[in-house]
Amino acid sequence: MTSPDAVAPAASFATAQVQHGFEPGVHHRTAVPAIHQTAAYEFASLQEAADLFALRKSGIIYSRNSSPTQLILEERVAALEGGVSAVAVASGQAAVAITLLALAGRGGHIVAANQLYGGSVDLLQDTLDDFGITTTFVDQDDADAWRAAVTPQTRVFFAESVANPIAQVLDIRLVADIAHDAGVPLVIDNTVGTPHLIRPGDHGADFSVHSATKFLAGHGTSLGGVVVDLGSFDFGAEPEKWPQFTRSQHRFGDVVPWEKFGRDRAFTVLAKSKYVSDLGPALSPFNAWQILQGIETLDLRVSRQSSSALKIAEHLAAHPKVAAVHHPGLAGNPWHELADHYLPRGVPSVFSFDVAPSGDEDEIERVARLIDGLETFRLVANIGDARSIVAHPASMTHNHLNAEQRAAAGISLGTIRVSVGLEDPADLIADLERALALL
Ligand SMILES: *Cc1c(COP(=O)(O)O)cnc(C)c1O
């Protein structure tokens, strides 16, 4: 296989995740992608430098925007998502930020799900708000709320394919149709879903973003983020609404991104050459390489984690000291039917359960006894790792919420989030049994 195009990603996910985007002949015949550890790249001539800076020619100038290792990662994730192009950056947080900045433009409005990752909520309601980009949050299951939140300034809808800690499954097609009726793209954070379990583009989404730190890397060693343009949104249909794509950009020698780069690359060229370049969340070549190593085993890991998580969820659901298990693979879960429809290969391995309260013990002390009693599960603020992890949302990710806001988020003081790793599920169940017996 010498050409990246020779791998048909739709037909062979497992082949694409190992090979796509890497051409040994171009990359000095190393068998595995190399780490190009250099800040900058030498130009063949002044003419070439001028052409690269003016976007007349594509190539690599400086590691803030790109590196050969990063380009392979971008092509590979784009292929796995069924997209047309991608931008990789330093973290998932940066991927969300540059995506929303590029789409919202000056004074834009965002409609976002209430159920988003806490870092995204902070970005939207605090930092982007400071810059005049406002957000209306809606219950992601409420179609009328999405519709009612649209204003003439709305430029993007944003939600997660599968949220956490409660593992709500989004009806992507429903929300995509409402976004398109409003003339705006739908961006899906597919960090928890992963392209192995769900490809948002197959259900109408227009952009897919990832914290590559989680399942794509899978080893818990490296931060990274990726945004994939799924190639479906037509910024040319209402050109006056999208001047960042359809008007000439002085900084690029009056290039019009939509005309010069077309549907496949206008977004990623703008995101990279403007937002990543100006704000600087560059992905290090080493982290790009680490994430590529992880992706080679994505389907194997995610399948194993998904099946282990379902076994653990079923076990917990039958446990007398567990009040509820929030796993959409279980019959009776409010998102079970959506999971059947959108996640036929399995449900993600991030879910949660509620410890049953006891009349005479403080709930936090009870949860602490359980968590501190775990030995195989680790108390870590991360997900998608090879190691199994627990977290306590009420004192960690959701610690600034009051009781009412916690209830709205579907969590209680007794809720414990689980991210199932690659250990033997029997050992993980035994660990939970031992810790629950301490209550
Ligand atoms: C972790 C996470 C992010 C942020 O990613 P970082 O790589 O930590 O910056 C965004 N969205 C979701 C769903 C996440 O889990």
Side-chain angles (χ1 to χ4, degrees):
M1 223 42 91
T2 52
S3 155
D5 298 331
V7 178
S12 52
F13 189 96
T15 305
Q17 77 182 0
V18 179
Q19 298 202 6
H20 194 92
F22 178 52
E23 279 184 75
V26 173
H27 300 281
H28 313 291
R29 306 209 67 79
T30 60
V32 171
I35 305 171
H36 290 263
Q37 193 64 42
T38 174
Y41 293 80
E42 190 174 324
F43 306 107
S45 63
L46 182 57
Q47 183 61 50
E48 188 192 57
D51 288 344
L52 286 168
F53 272 88
L55 299 184
R56 282 191 294 271
K57 201 176 160 192
S58 67
I60 305 179
I61 295 174
Y62 190 60
S63 276
R64 177 154 17 95
N65 292 15
S66 243
S67 76
T69 323
Q70 177 182 330
L71 290 179
I72 299 166
L73 172 65
E74 290 170 349
E75 285 216 22
R76 193 160 302 175
V77 179
L80 298 182
E81 282 281 4
V84 292
S85 57
V87 181
V89 286
S91 64
Q93 201 63 28
V96 172
I98 62 141
T99 302
L100 297 179
L101 283 168
L103 294 173
R106 182 189 291 236
H109 170 254
I110 298 167
V111 187
N114 266 330
Q115 291 86 343
L116 289 178
Y117 171 71
S120 299
V121 174
D122 288 342
L123 171 70
L124 291 163
Q125 74 185 9
D126 194 4
T127 300
L128 290 185
D129 195 72
D130 287 346
F131 290 101
I133 295 173
T134 56
T135 300
T136 303
F137 290 94
V138 298
D139 175 356
Q140 68 181 28
D141 296 326
D142 185 345
D144 290 337
W146 284 101
R147 256 181 231 112
V150 173
T151 76
Q153 274 65 50
T154 303
R155 292 294 177 274
V156 55
F157 276 25
F158 182 42
E160 294 175 20
S161 50
V162 183
N164 84 81
I166 299 301
Q168 301 96 331
V169 180
L170 182 73
D171 191 340
I172 298 180
R173 175 62 64 186
L174 177 78
V175 178
D177 287 348
I178 299 169
H180 298 156
D181 284 347
V184 303
L186 172 63
V187 176
I188 292 293
D189 183 333
N190 199 28
T191 299
V192 172
T194 80
H196 173 56
L197 297 178
I198 181 167
R199 300 207 309 185
D202 294 347
H203 308 288
D206 305 290
F207 295 87
S208 175
V209 293
H210 283 274
S211 167
T213 315
K214 317 289 171 51
F215 289 98
L216 292 182
H219 34 50
T221 67
S222 307
L223 261 74
V226 184
V227 47
V228 179
D229 183 344
L230 300 167
S232 48
F233 196 79
D234 183 1
F235 294 103
E238 284 184 276
E240 67 291 347
K241 199 163 159 179
W242 309 100
Q244 66 271 49
F245 300 111
T246 60
R247 276 208 216 126
S248 69
Q249 305 291 315
H250 181 63
R251 61 185 286 154
F252 306 132
D254 286 333
V255 161
V256 177
W258 192 248
E259 282 170 13
K260 176 145 177 77
F261 301 104
R263 192 184 278 243
D264 285 5
R265 290 183 59 228
F267 170 84
T268 39
V269 169
L270 186 83
K272 222 181 229 207
S273 319
K274 176 170 170 167
Y275 294 97
V276 180
S277 187
D278 290 1
L279 299 172
L283 179 64
S284 81
F286 181 72
N287 279 19
W289 181 83
Q290 285 276 44
I291 295 163
L292 272 171
Q293 299 313 294
I295 287 175
E296 292 187 2
T297 55
L298 179 66
D299 63 347
L300 300 174
R301 286 184 286 106
V302 167
S303 298
R304 160 83 177 240
Q305 287 166 320
S306 170
S307 84
S308 297
L310 183 58
K311 279 188 202 136
I312 293 167
E314 284 166 347
H315 188 89
L316 287 170
H319 199 288
K321 287 181 183 153
V322 172
V325 179
H326 308 285
H327 186 296
L330 300 179
N333 178 281
W335 296 277
H336 185 62
E337 274 170 30
L338 286 173
D340 271 352
H341 177 69
Y342 285 105
L343 299 160
R345 292 166 194 270
V347 169
S349 49
V350 180
F351 69 99
S352 61
F353 66 97
D354 298 345
V355 176
S358 117
D360 40 67
E361 189 179 8
D362 177 81
E363 239 184 312
I364 293 283
E365 276 173 28
R366 195 167 161 79
V367 164
R369 228 151 26 99
L370 190 154
I371 287 179
D372 294 342
L374 290 165
E375 290 169 10
T376 312
F377 278 92
R378 308 287 161 155
L379 179 61
V380 175
N382 197 9
I383 56 171
D385 197 315
R387 280 146 284 272
S388 288
I389 286 170
V390 291
H392 183 234
S395 37
M396 297 166 65
T397 48
H398 295 62
N399 72 340
H400 51 293
L401 304 190
N402 60 34
E404 197 180 311
Q405 291 169 314
R406 273 200 304 268
I411 65 169
S412 70
L413 289 178
T415 302
I416 295 177
R417 184 184 73 184
V418 178
S419 173
V420 176
L422 295 172
E423 304 92 339
D424 188 328
D427 291 341
L428 296 170
I429 289 172
D431 194 36
L432 287 163
E433 276 292 329
R434 191 168 45 235
L436 282 162
L438 301 173
L439 303 186

